[in-house]
Amino acid sequence: MSPTQWDLPPELCCRPMAFVALTGLDVTYNAIHRAIWDAFCANRRADRVPISFKVLPGDHEYPKCRTKRTSYEWYIPKGILKTGWMNKHLNLVPALLVLFYELDWDDAVWKEKQSECATKVEIVRTSLQGRNTKVAVVLIQKKTPLPPGEDLVASERAASLCNACDLSGKSLFVLPHTDHLVGYIIRLENAFYEHAQTYYYTEIRRVKSHKEFLNKTTHQLLFVRHQFKIAFFSELKQDTQNSLKYYRTAYSLVHELRTHETNMLEIKTMAGFINYKICRLCFQHNTPLDAIAQFRKHIDLCKKKIGSAELAFEHTAWMSKQFQSFGDLFDEAIKLGLTAIQTQNPGFYYQQAAYYAQERKQQATHLCAHEASVSYPTPDHLETPSGALDFYGQRAWRQGHQSIDPPHMEKEKGGILALQMKEKDVPHSELIIALLSNAVAQFKKYKCPRMKSHLMVQMGEEYNHAKDYTKALKLLDYVMCDYRTERWWSLLTSILSTALRCSYLMAHVKDYISYSMELVGRASTLREEQKSRIEKNLIKVLMNEVPEAEPDCDQASAKAAQALWSDRMSLAGSNEFTIEVQDYVPFVQCKAKFLSPSFHVDDPVQLHVYLRHRGKCRPQFFFILS
């Protein structure tokens, strides 16, 4: 299981735009065609229509259209949404196919050129057979056309060309290659956009027409699928209000599905996809409270849908991704102008994402602790013939299976084992640190210093678990000052204990001495026996001896640390350090006392200097000053 397995698919997260395919342009060797293509692609400002353009060859093969279903009477769906469906309508099946062809109205071989153009149109129509994709023709011309109605030859030949290509007059355009090319391109775009709108409207009606054939007994999955498709086509049509309405309906329907262990992941996956769309559109419509309310509802509905106990880490991974995705949406909306507040900002969602990532790490440690003799199952039950799943959220070893009981128990066990062994390779600490880092940045931005310090401590501890002790110490040192200033001694003691462990494992002698001195002092909340152990280790270091390993150290790391300490102690002559104690709470307290309330001038002044160490106070020095 790779770290990105739970990432939302890019086609779900992008802004859907009408897909228009351009053919007949040689953008590599023809300078005019290249200029036309650049005018379509370059400087696409916000005021230009939302269209995704792609140049394709004339003989390009588009996805084959399946035979239209006339009855659903015996049809049992195998899943909710196919993994390639969104990408297909974003990048593979165009709403409009535009054929560019160089032809002037006064061309000397007009009839031959008209016949060639009609042939090209027929070829692209054949390649789109069964699709409702619109076809249009753009004639690239050298001269600026006369106003409509003034050029009788142009009118006559345009009608002839439309008849030969079986086009309506609204699907034939002229593009003069002049100094005003960009202006003409923008006018063409607007016309293309209208054609694309018509296509998506037709697709929506087509999907809606299936409803009358469905029944709620065997076609529950189709109700969700069709509402999602209508919502997605509405987004492509830029009708975001209707799109939001259909996504909300799909979300309600997905939670009405009968859930059991074998389909839990698929239902959660689709619920997560639809929730993401709803929240994104709410932010887009500048209704952030609706987005927050939807997300809270989503978490409440899904947090107990754990699924297989043997794969509980999958549920926490999914929960972590839900919070992270919402935090990303929230942050993106703020960058676009939304105002956030100290008590409601993306940091809280990143923090919760990190919490679930930590839960995932703990569960993986418990569930994936197989004996060394257990090997990865063969054949690999996570492999599929195509390299991808057919439907989102399904298991690779039982795709299309919708009944309550798994079809093959041996495959089920092998698949679960494969997932557990993949989980062992996930860099959990990296994921947790990245999420905590995002949260810290947000709390810093919204001036929440205590939340920031709290999460930086967690980051330091996670770096410690990841054996990156240098970064761990850097973070922990940074926050120690805050906890000393606010006198949170129990928290400071915990941080110092982690810092002491890191300094020991790196054999940083000066840091080790500093942390030890503070941990045996009055601010430390450690028990007496713990302080005694640290004091003994400190004396060993001062005597150029190797200290004992700190508790809870990884055995391999502790063994490597022993060798480092031996090297350090062998350099006895260079082990001289200046410890600045004004920045922390030292283990020694100093107090002076005069032996008389007053002294005469030139008389010796006597005073006692008292040193307190770990709760024991006695006069250590006797001074006579004169």
Side-chain angles (χ1 to χ4, degrees), residues 312-332:
F313 53 82
E314 284 193 333
H315 179 68
T316 43
W318 180 84
M319 288 288 286
S320 177
K321 181 53 66 175
Q322 299 309 296
F323 278 97
Q324 182 187 354
S325 299
F326 188 79
D328 291 342
L329 284 176
F330 200 168
D331 190 40
E332 181 187 346

Side-chain angles (χ1 to χ4, degrees), residues 31-148:
I32 293 174
H33 291 192
R34 182 73 210 184
I36 292 170
W37 173 237
D38 288 342
F40 274 112
C41 296
N43 301 318
R44 292 205 64 81
R45 303 184 304 272
D47 58 343
R48 289 177 72 167
V49 289
I51 295 180
S52 169
F53 291 105
K54 192 180 288 186
V55 172
L56 299 173
D59 58 352
H60 179 75
E61 287 190 22
Y62 299 92
K64 299 295 181 193
C65 185
R66 291 184 306 153
T67 307
K68 304 297 182 190
R69 188 176 299 281
T70 55
S71 171
Y72 283 88
E73 189 175 353
W74 301 105
Y75 177 64
I76 305 295
K78 295 182 178 180
I80 300 175
L81 185 68
K82 286 209 167 184
T83 52
W85 187 85
M86 285 185 286
N87 182 61
K88 181 172 73 174
H89 289 282
L90 285 170
N91 301 306
L92 302 178
V93 177
L96 173 69
L97 194 151
V98 183
L99 171 67
F100 285 81
Y101 190 71
E102 293 191 39
L103 179 60
D104 285 286
W105 298 126
D106 58 355
D107 195 289
V109 285
W110 167 263
K111 286 196 174 181
E112 288 82 349
K113 288 283 188 76
Q114 175 180 280
S115 177
E116 184 183 7
C117 182
T119 302
K120 288 178 179 290
V121 170
E122 187 58 32
I123 290 170
V124 297
R125 276 213 180 98
T126 303
S127 66
L128 291 163
Q129 194 168 11
R131 300 279 177 197
N132 293 318
T133 300
K134 308 295 179 185
V135 176
V137 172
V138 175
L139 301 180
I140 303 171
Q141 299 187 339
K142 300 182 184 70
K143 302 174 186 175
T144 303
L146 296 172

Side-chain angles (χ1 to χ4, degrees), residues 135-400:
V135 176
V137 172
V138 175
L139 301 180
I140 303 171
Q141 299 187 339
K142 300 182 184 70
K143 302 174 186 175
T144 303
L146 296 172
E150 293 187 17
D151 190 339
L152 298 178
V153 174
S155 300
E156 181 185 330
R157 290 193 165 179
S160 172
L161 184 62
C162 286
N163 187 50
C165 298
D166 193 19
L167 291 171
S168 73
K170 291 183 178 180
S171 298
L172 178 64
F173 305 94
V174 171
L175 177 60
H177 186 259
T178 63
D179 295 337
H180 304 291
L181 180 63
V182 174
Y184 283 112
I185 293 292
I186 290 173
R187 288 172 64 185
L188 274 180
E189 280 182 0
N190 292 329
F192 294 168
Y193 184 66
E194 287 182 22
H195 280 292
Q197 293 276 87
T198 304
Y199 168 80
Y200 292 121
Y201 175 73
T202 305
E203 289 299 290
I204 289 169
R205 290 192 62 182
R206 181 181 61 79
V207 176
K208 283 182 175 179
S209 68
H210 296 313
K211 187 176 181 179
E212 60 186 279
F213 302 110
L214 307 183
N215 67 74
K216 288 195 174 182
T217 306
T218 55
H219 299 142
Q220 279 188 311
L221 303 184
L222 294 183
F223 281 98
V224 180
R225 182 192 299 177
H226 291 169
Q227 291 299 308
F228 183 92
K229 287 185 174 183
I230 295 168
F232 195 81
F233 281 134
S234 297
E235 271 197 285
L236 285 163
K237 191 171 172 284
Q238 307 307 311
D239 182 1
T240 55
Q241 290 292 349
N242 269 322
S243 179
L244 181 57
K245 182 182 78 172
Y246 288 115
Y247 279 131
R248 287 190 188 280
T249 305
Y251 190 82
S252 297
L253 289 169
V254 84
H255 283 292
E256 290 177 12
L257 296 174
R258 292 186 292 272
T259 56
H260 39 82
E261 201 170 285
T262 52
N263 73 351
M264 192 77 77
L265 181 61
E266 183 175 12
I267 288 173
K268 278 195 308 190
T269 299
M270 283 308 302
F273 285 5
I274 302 167
N275 171 74
Y276 179 87
K277 283 289 192 181
I278 294 171
C279 293
R280 187 185 181 97
L281 288 171
C282 286
F283 280 124
Q284 192 175 316
H285 293 159
N286 202 27
T287 55
L289 294 180
D290 289 350
I292 292 168
Q294 164 62 32
F295 183 72
R296 287 176 176 170
K297 171 187 170 184
H298 172 59
I299 294 301
D300 286 343
L301 286 169
C302 295
K303 63 185 177 184
K304 292 183 180 177
K305 293 185 176 179
I306 298 170
S308 171
E310 295 169 290
L311 299 173
F313 53 82
E314 284 193 333
H315 179 68
T316 43
W318 180 84
M319 288 288 286
S320 177
K321 181 53 66 175
Q322 299 309 296
F323 278 97
Q324 182 187 354
S325 299
F326 188 79
D328 291 342
L329 284 176
F330 200 168
D331 190 40
E332 181 187 346
I334 291 166
K335 289 174 182 174
L336 294 173
L338 179 70
T339 303
I341 57 175
Q342 193 179 55
T343 56
Q344 187 60 263
N345 68 70
F348 290 102
Y349 299 96
Y350 290 129
Q351 180 192 9
Q352 200 65 17
Y355 164 77
Y356 278 108
Q358 289 164 335
E359 285 278 303
R360 174 190 184 182
K361 179 183 175 183
Q362 292 172 9
Q363 290 171 343
T365 303
H366 172 65
L367 293 169
C368 307
H370 299 291
E371 295 178 4
S373 59
V374 178
S375 59
Y376 193 84
T378 51
D380 188 349
H381 295 301
L382 304 184
E383 291 292 330
T384 60
S386 64
L389 294 172
D390 291 336
F391 291 90
Y392 287 113
Q394 293 193 352
R395 301 296 185 190
W397 62 87
R398 49 173 161 81
Q399 294 191 81

